Amino acid sequence: MTKDIESTILKAASSVFVKDGYDGARMNVIAEKAGINKALLHYYFRSKNHLFQMVFERLMHDFFSSIYREVSMDTDFRTYLDNFVSIYLNTISKRPYVIRFMIWELGHGSGTVNELIGRIMKKWEIKEIPVITAVQRAIDRGEIRAVDPIQLFISLIALCIFPFAARAILENKVEGLKVLSKEFVEARKEAILDLIWNGISLKEDDR
């Protein structure tokens, strides 16, 4: 029974936090949406911050686990890059609220994010950031030119995340743009792959 109540509260809290953000969310609204009184809500989750952290952890665990689970490193780097970008963009487009949660949390200290990613990597027995490892392997195998794996990783993540983080501005300023549409996600994937691959593929002078 306790687990059922906790699950109901977390589900209700998720929808309220997604809609109103941390600052706009109210415990009485969460209680009402969960069908319980505010006293019971505080009994299970002593504060809004504690409840937010529980919701945030569940959402982020689901988000990162899906990426780590679905992207295989047992391929050539071009295929790996294609799979990573495709899965990352599809995952974000289906869970755009994750970006809002992450930005808020990072703005208030990255401890929770770091700890959570660390636990997920431990669960999947990953010792290093997979993309960085994949880039270094590709360089060692002569699949791509020598680049800084860390800088490439940062650039790749930034290219994937930015449209969703700036969705409200982009859709307001660019007529007809729908960031969450299948058409945009597919076009974004092709644009990222074209930009990244042309930047790291071996040229005649590199051979």
Side-chain angles (χ1 to χ4, degrees):
M1 185 65 176
T2 297
K3 289 295 182 182
D4 291 339
I5 295 176
E6 288 181 355
S7 179
T8 298
I9 292 173
L10 288 172
K11 184 177 180 180
S14 294
S15 64
V16 174
F17 281 129
V18 167
K19 178 178 178 292
D20 301 327
Y22 178 88
D23 293 328
R26 297 291 179 266
M27 292 293 271
N28 62 306
V29 175
I30 294 173
E32 182 179 344
K33 195 170 187 64
I36 61 174
N37 60 54
K38 192 174 179 180
L40 189 59
L41 174 59
H42 280 283
Y43 173 78
Y44 281 96
F45 299 96
R46 58 187 177 272
S47 67
K48 184 170 79 167
N49 185 62
H50 178 62
L51 181 55
F52 177 85
Q53 294 300 327
M54 293 292 291
V55 169
F56 177 78
E57 181 162 339
R58 285 182 54 165
L59 292 176
M60 295 300 291
H61 187 276
D62 177 55
F63 177 77
F64 284 113
S65 289
S66 64
I67 295 173
Y68 286 144
R69 182 172 58 247
E70 296 179 32
V71 182
S72 172
M73 294 185 66
D74 297 327
T75 62
D76 61 274
F77 188 72
R78 182 65 177 77
T79 301
Y80 172 86
L81 185 63
D82 186 291
N83 290 339
F84 178 86
V85 173
S86 179
I87 291 172
Y88 204 98
L89 289 177
N90 286 335
T91 301
I92 296 176
S93 66
K94 293 175 182 176
R95 305 171 177 83
Y97 47 81
V98 167
I99 301 302
R100 185 176 184 180
F101 273 75
M102 188 183 297
I103 291 174
W104 190 93
E105 183 65 24
L106 289 173
H108 291 75
S110 59
T112 301
V113 179
N114 285 328
E115 292 174 7
L116 181 57
I117 294 176
R119 288 198 297 273
I120 294 171
M121 291 178 68
K122 183 177 181 180
K123 175 183 178 181
W124 293 99
E125 298 181 346
I126 300 170
K127 296 182 179 180
E128 299 177 342
I129 295 176
V131 177
I132 295 176
T133 301
V135 172
Q136 189 58 60
R137 286 183 181 179
I139 294 172
D140 295 341
R141 293 171 180 170
E143 295 181 76
I144 61 175
R145 66 185 185 86
V147 295
D148 185 329
I150 296 175
Q151 291 298 330
L152 180 56
F153 164 68
I154 294 172
S155 297
L156 183 58
I157 297 300
L159 287 169
C160 288
I161 288 179
F162 178 77
F164 301 94
R167 176 186 164 197
I169 297 174
L170 292 175
E171 292 186 346
N172 179 265
K173 297 302 181 183
V174 182
E175 185 177 355
L177 182 64
K178 300 296 180 184
V179 172
L180 300 183
S181 69
K182 291 182 179 180
E183 293 75 16
F184 176 83
V185 172
E186 185 61 29
R188 186 62 187 163
K189 169 191 169 184
E190 295 303 323
I192 292 173
L193 289 173
D194 180 67
L195 182 64
I196 294 292
W197 187 251
N198 283 329
I200 64 175
S201 57
L202 291 169
K203 307 298 189 294
E204 287 299 321
D205 292 343
D206 298 317
R207 298 181 187 278

